[in-house]
Amino acid sequence: MSDSKIGELLILNKLVSKEQFDQALEMQQLTPEQPIGQILCQLGFINGKDLESVLDHNNKRRKLGEILISQHLIDEERLNNALKISKEEKIPLGRALIRLHMVEEEQLARAIALQHDLKFVSLAGVRFDPQLSSFVNATFAQRLRIVPIRCRDRCLTIAMASPIQHDELTQLERWCQMQITPVIAKESDILIAQQKIFKIAGVAEHAKLHYELSEDQVRDSAKSKYVNDFISADVDYLTKRIITTGIKDGSSDIHFESTESGMVIRYRLDGILQSIDLGADDALISANARQIVSKIKILCDMDIAERRRPQDSSFKMKVSKEGKVRSVDFRVSTVPTQFGENVVIRILDKRSGTITLEGLGYSPEDVTTLYSALDKPTGIFLVTGPTGSGKSSTLYAVLSHINAPGVKTLTIEDPIEYSIEGITQTEVNEIIGNSFARLLRAFLRQDPDNIMVGEIRDLETAIISMRAALTGHTVLSTLHTNDATSAVTRLIDMGVEPSLLSTTLRCVLAQRLVRRICPACKTLYSPPAILLDEFGIPSGSGMEFFQGKGCPACHFTGFSGRLPIVELWIPTREELLMFNRRPDNLSLRNVVFSDSGRMTMIDDGFRRVQAGETTLEELLRTVPYEQIEAGRNKIANMFSVAGSTAESLENKQKPDQIKHRKK
C-alpha cells in the first residue's frame, strides 16, 4: 500500500483536495515515520472516521505482520509461527508475538499505531486528572482495554491497546457527548493508568487493593521439558489474576468449572457461589482452560498427565500488599467431568490480628453470657454447626479472649487459619500419623491451661477431650450438628458415657451465618405473602422489611458480609442430670428452650430481620426448617399480643376523649 494510492482514493472520494494532500506530503518529509493519514488528520483536512472508512472499505490497510517485517523486527518464519499459535489458541497475533518474545510491547504498540494511522503515546510518568473517570465506565474501559487520558475543548483523548470497533466508538461518543480522539499505547501502561484513574476517583472499591503473588517455594523447572512450552506467560498471568481476585474479594473458595462452551470461574463469597466479571480475561480463561488447570497442578506437584482420576493437594503463595508480605495456603481438589477437569481451590488466608466476638457480630448480651461461662476454670466449650457456619472464627475469638501472659494455650487445627501471638498452634498431618487424638495425648504432657481441638471427629478424640476437661483444663472444640442440644445426643451416640459428659460440658453454642444487607444499597421492600405465612407473620403486621437492591460495592448481590445467628446453651444442674437418661433431641429441646427464656436460632435470626440486618429469605436458607416450624406459632403469638396491647390502649383512651368532648 503506497501513499500515492491513499491519496488517489481520498481525492477520488472528494475527502481531500490535491493541494491538501501535497501539503501533507511535504510535512511528512520532516517526520518520515509518521503515516500520511495521521498528518492529514492533524492538519484538519480529514477526520479519523472518514479515513478509517476509506482504508477498510478499499482493503488498503497494511497487515500487522507486514509492518513488523518491513521494520526488520521479525522475519517470515517467525511470523508464520506466531500466526500458527494465534490460530490454535484463538488469541490476537500481537499477543502471540509478545508471548513468544519476538517483539517488545512498545514495538508492537507502535506497529499497531502505524497500521491504523493513529498516534502512539507513552503513558509512563503521566499524571492523570481523577475527573477523567466520570467520562468512561470502569468495567467498559477494562473490557475494551482503553483509558481516558486527556479532555480539552470538548474533545476526549482515549488511549487504546488496539483500535476498538466503530460501533463501540460511536457508543462511547454518545455516552461522553463529546468527540473522541483515539491514540495507541502499551497495554501494560493502560492497565496502570486505569488503576490510577479509577482508584483515585473511588469508582471501584476493589481497585484500591493491589496484590502481588509469588510462589512460596522454589520449583525445579527442569522436571518436565514440556512445562516451559506448555505453560505460557499468558497462562501464568491468568492463573494469578483468578487467585488474586479471590483473595481481594475475600472468597473462601474458587471454582473452575469445565462446560461445553469453555471454562467458568465462580467464587464463593459470603457462602454463595457468584460469578465476578474479569473483563477481557474471561474469554482468555475459557480459551486456555486446559493450560490453566495444568498450571495449578504444577503448583501443587500433581500429575499433570492424569486427567481421569481425582487428585488432592495444596500449595502456598506469598501475597504482597503495600509492602506487607504474608503467606496464604491453598487446598486444591480436581475431579474429571464430561467436558474436562473441574478444580476447586480453598483459600486459607492466615491473617494475623485479634479476632473478637464483637467484631464477628455477636450481640452484647451473648458476648456477656459467653465471657461469663469462660470465667470458669475447667470444662469443655463446644461450637456446633455445618461446614462454613463460622465455627473456627468463633473459637479464635474465644481463644483471643482467654489468651493471657500467665496461661499456656495449645491448639490442634486442620488447617491453621489464623495466627495468634502467644498461642502454640499445631496442624494435623494424617500422613505422618499426627491425628487429633495423638496430638491431644501429647499436649496433655505439655502442662497446658487451655486446649483447642479443631474438631471432634471420633470417639477417641471425644473421650480424651472430656478427660482433659475433667482434669482441670479448659477445652474448646467443634461438632457438626444442627443445633445446640444435638451435641449431647451426637456425643452419646459416638459412645461417650453420659456421666462423663454431664461432668465436663460447660457451654454449647450452635450457629449459622446469614448474609448482611449491603448498607450501600439498603432499601425497604414488601416480602411476598407466602414468605410471611412461612414465618407466621400477619400481612398487616406493620413490620418494616429491608433488602439490598444490588450495587458495585456488593457485586450486585444486595449483601455484604455475614452475621452469626446463634442459640447459646449453658446447661443447668437439672439439665445435666437428664443426660443419664439418654434423652432424644426433641425431648431435650423441649426442656432447654420451652420455658427457659433462652433464644433459639430462629429467635435470634428474626431479631436480625427486625433490626434490618438481614432478610427472611436468608433465614429460610440457613436456619434448620424444623426450627422455623417450631418458631412459627411463637412469632404469630408475638404479633397477636402486640395487636391486643395496641387495641386495649386505644380503647382506654376513648373514654378520656369522650369526656374531653363533653367539656
Side-chain angles (χ1 to χ4, degrees):
M1 181 186 70
S2 65
D3 290 340
S4 61
K5 290 182 180 178
I6 294 176
E8 290 172 5
L9 289 170
L10 295 176
I11 294 169
L12 182 64
N13 286 276
K14 298 181 180 180
L15 294 172
V16 297
S17 65
K18 189 176 184 308
E19 291 76 15
Q20 289 174 330
F21 187 73
D22 290 340
Q23 184 181 342
L25 283 175
E26 289 179 11
M27 185 173 289
Q28 192 185 37
Q29 292 177 2
L30 301 175
T31 54
E33 74 283 353
Q34 192 171 11
I36 191 69
Q38 192 178 111
I39 295 173
L40 287 166
C41 291
Q42 288 176 355
L43 293 171
F45 296 155
I46 187 174
N47 62 53
K49 290 182 182 177
D50 289 338
L51 178 63
E52 291 279 324
S53 178
V54 170
L55 292 173
D56 292 333
H57 181 72
N58 293 277
N59 197 24
K60 291 297 181 181
R61 193 179 300 285
R62 293 176 68 187
K63 294 181 179 180
L64 182 61
E66 293 175 0
I67 295 172
L68 293 170
I69 289 175
S70 68
Q71 294 176 339
H72 306 291
L73 295 173
I74 60 173
D75 53 26
E76 290 282 353
E77 184 180 356
R78 291 192 168 197
L79 176 61
N80 290 333
N81 288 338
L83 286 170
K84 183 180 178 182
I85 295 293
S86 174
K87 184 178 179 181
E88 288 177 352
E89 301 194 12
K90 299 178 182 178
I91 60 174
L93 173 62
R95 191 176 289 273
L97 290 164
I98 293 289
R99 175 187 295 183
L100 296 170
H101 306 289
M102 292 182 179
V103 296
E104 299 293 332
E105 190 180 5
E106 184 171 332
Q107 293 172 334
L108 175 65
R110 289 185 179 276
I112 292 173
L114 187 63
Q115 180 190 23
H116 292 273
D117 289 296
L118 296 174
K119 183 180 179 181
F120 170 81
V121 296
S122 174
L123 303 182
V126 176
R127 297 185 67 179
F128 300 100
D129 185 351
Q131 298 300 321
L132 290 169
S133 63
S134 63
F135 296 114
V136 181
N137 178 272
T139 303
F140 186 78
Q142 290 168 352
R143 180 170 64 83
L144 296 181
R145 295 178 299 159
I146 64 174
V147 66
I149 60 173
R150 189 183 303 111
C151 181
R152 289 178 185 170
D153 303 325
R154 302 298 300 167
C155 181
L156 184 66
T157 302
I158 301 283
M160 308 173 177
S162 60
I164 62 177
Q165 298 294 327
H166 178 71
D167 58 341
E168 290 172 331
L169 186 61
T170 303
Q171 183 183 13
L172 194 55
E173 285 186 329
R174 188 168 61 250
W175 281 348
C176 301
Q177 296 183 346
M178 61 179 65
Q179 182 182 347
I180 300 293
T181 300
V183 297
I184 299 297
K186 294 193 302 182
E187 184 173 354
S188 59
D189 284 351
I190 288 173
L191 294 174
I192 293 171
Q194 284 176 345
Q195 185 187 12
K196 288 180 179 178
I197 291 172
F198 297 122
K199 174 183 177 180
I200 294 168
V203 170
E205 183 66 24
H206 67 269
K208 295 182 180 177
L209 300 175
H210 176 62
Y211 289 81
E212 292 181 3
L213 293 182
S214 59
E215 290 193 48
D216 206 13
Q217 61 191 81
V218 178
R219 298 185 181 277
D220 182 8
S221 59
K223 269 188 178 180
S224 170
K225 65 180 180 180
Y226 303 107
V227 167
N228 290 334
D229 295 333
F230 190 64
I231 306 302
S232 64
D234 270 358
V235 171
D236 187 65
Y237 157 76
L238 291 170
T239 305
K240 287 185 177 181
R241 170 80 196 279
I242 294 166
I243 295 172
T244 302
T245 300
I247 296 172
K248 283 197 298 186
D249 291 333
S251 306
S252 60
D253 303 86
I254 307 174
H255 290 241
F256 300 70
E257 300 170 343
S258 298
T259 67
E260 189 174 7
S261 56
M263 178 173 280
V264 175
I265 306 296
R266 294 200 291 170
Y267 297 85
R268 190 172 293 281
L269 294 168
D270 297 333
I272 302 294
L273 277 177
Q274 300 174 28
S275 296
I276 295 178
D277 183 15
L278 296 174
D281 289 334
D282 276 326
L284 290 173
I285 289 168
S286 189
N288 293 277
R290 187 168 169 181
Q291 295 94 321
I292 290 171
V293 172
S294 294
K295 171 65 179 178
I296 294 169
K297 286 183 174 181
I298 290 169
L299 289 171
C300 301
D301 288 327
M302 289 182 179
D303 183 356
I304 65 171
E306 180 57 75
R307 300 188 182 93
R308 299 173 299 171
R309 295 186 178 91
Q311 297 187 68
D312 293 287
S313 190
S314 62
F315 66 96
K316 294 182 179 181
M317 297 197 89
K318 291 179 180 177
V319 179
S320 175
K321 179 197 170 188
E322 297 174 354
K324 297 180 180 179
V325 181
R326 69 175 186 272
S327 179
V328 179
D329 287 358
F330 301 89
R331 300 289 176 94
V332 182
S333 171
T334 70
V335 294
T337 70
Q338 179 183 3
F339 300 110
E341 287 182 281
N342 277 13
V343 179
V344 175
I345 299 179
R346 167 64 58 89
I347 300 175
L348 303 170
D349 196 350
K350 298 180 183 179
R351 298 176 184 270
S352 298
T354 303
I355 304 173
T356 63
L357 292 172
E358 295 90 342
L360 292 175
Y362 282 84
S363 68
E365 298 81 8
D366 287 337
V367 172
T368 301
T369 306
L370 279 169
Y371 286 167
S372 175
L374 290 167
D375 288 340
K376 298 176 182 177
T378 61
I380 187 163
F381 178 101
L382 295 174
V383 183
T384 73
T387 301
S389 59
K391 300 187 298 296
S392 297
S393 296
T394 299
L395 283 185
Y396 281 120
V398 171
L399 282 175
S400 298
H401 174 74
I402 64 177
N403 187 26
V407 300
K408 183 172 184 176
T409 303
L410 305 177
T411 74
I412 312 168
E413 305 174 53
D414 184 22
I416 297 172
E417 296 182 27
Y418 289 88
S419 298
I420 303 177
E421 188 176 352
I423 292 179
T424 302
Q425 297 173 266
T426 306
E427 193 163 273
V428 169
N429 189 339
E430 298 283 358
I431 296 174
I432 61 174
N434 284 347
S435 62
F436 278 111
R438 183 174 183 179
L439 288 171
L440 187 53
R441 283 198 201 92
F443 275 13
L444 293 176
R445 296 190 291 271
Q446 293 287 310
D447 188 29
D449 297 290
N450 308 309
I451 300 173
M452 193 265 269
V453 182
E455 182 185 345
I456 294 178
R457 297 177 179 174
D458 50 53
L459 176 60
E460 185 180 13
T461 306
I463 290 176
I464 299 172
S465 299
M466 299 288 174
R467 287 177 179 168
L470 192 64
T471 55
H473 304 89
T474 295
V475 179
L476 313 172
S477 192
T478 69
L479 269 178
H480 287 280
T481 65
N482 271 340
D483 49 47
T485 50
S486 293
V488 173
T489 55
R490 172 96 166 85
L491 289 168
I492 291 175
D493 287 344
M494 271 188 189
V496 176
E497 284 298 321
S499 57
L500 181 61
L501 185 57
S502 61
T503 307
T504 56
L505 185 63
R506 184 196 312 176
C507 176
V508 184
L509 177 71
Q511 69 178 53
R512 297 288 190 279
L513 292 177
V514 293
R515 291 182 292 172
R516 186 200 302 264
I517 297 172
C518 175
C521 60
K522 184 176 178 179
T523 184
L524 281 167
Y525 89 115
S526 299
I530 189 171
L531 186 61
L532 294 175
D533 291 341
E534 194 72 68
F535 288 88
I537 304 170
S539 56
S541 64
M543 180 177 169
E544 289 186 335
F545 298 92
F546 295 88
Q547 69 174 1
K549 292 188 299 183
C551 64
C554 61
H555 299 290
F556 299 95
T557 62
F559 297 97
S560 179
R562 289 190 285 180
L563 292 164
I565 55 172
V566 304
E567 57 181 36
L568 179 58
W569 176 35
I570 299 177
T572 63
R573 184 178 182 83
E574 291 74 19
E575 290 164 353
L576 290 171
L577 291 174
M578 281 186 65
F579 298 174
N580 295 320
R581 299 199 295 268
R582 298 177 182 267
D584 60 81
N585 189 50
L586 184 59
S587 302
L588 190 56
R589 284 192 72 80
N590 286 336
V591 172
V592 172
F593 291 104
S594 289
D595 302 316
S596 62
R598 295 187 180 106
M599 292 183 70
T600 63
M601 268 189 285
I602 186 61
D603 296 332
D604 194 29
F606 191 67
R607 178 181 62 82
R608 298 280 193 187
V609 173
Q610 287 178 305
E613 295 175 326
T614 191
T615 65
L616 293 175
E617 289 87 348
E618 275 297 285
L619 298 190
L620 199 60
R621 183 181 68 85
T622 56
V623 177
Y625 191 69
E626 58 268 21
Q627 286 211 23
I628 293 176
E629 288 181 315
R632 190 177 296 143
N633 291 333
K634 187 176 179 180
I635 293 172
N637 290 335
M638 180 180 69
F639 283 103
S640 177
V641 170
S644 301
T645 304
E647 186 177 352
S648 63
L649 285 172
E650 185 179 351
N651 292 333
K652 187 177 180 181
Q653 290 172 357
K654 283 181 180 179
D656 296 333
Q657 292 170 359
I658 293 169
K659 287 178 184 179
H660 183 71
R661 290 195 194 100
K662 286 180 178 180
K663 287 181 182 180

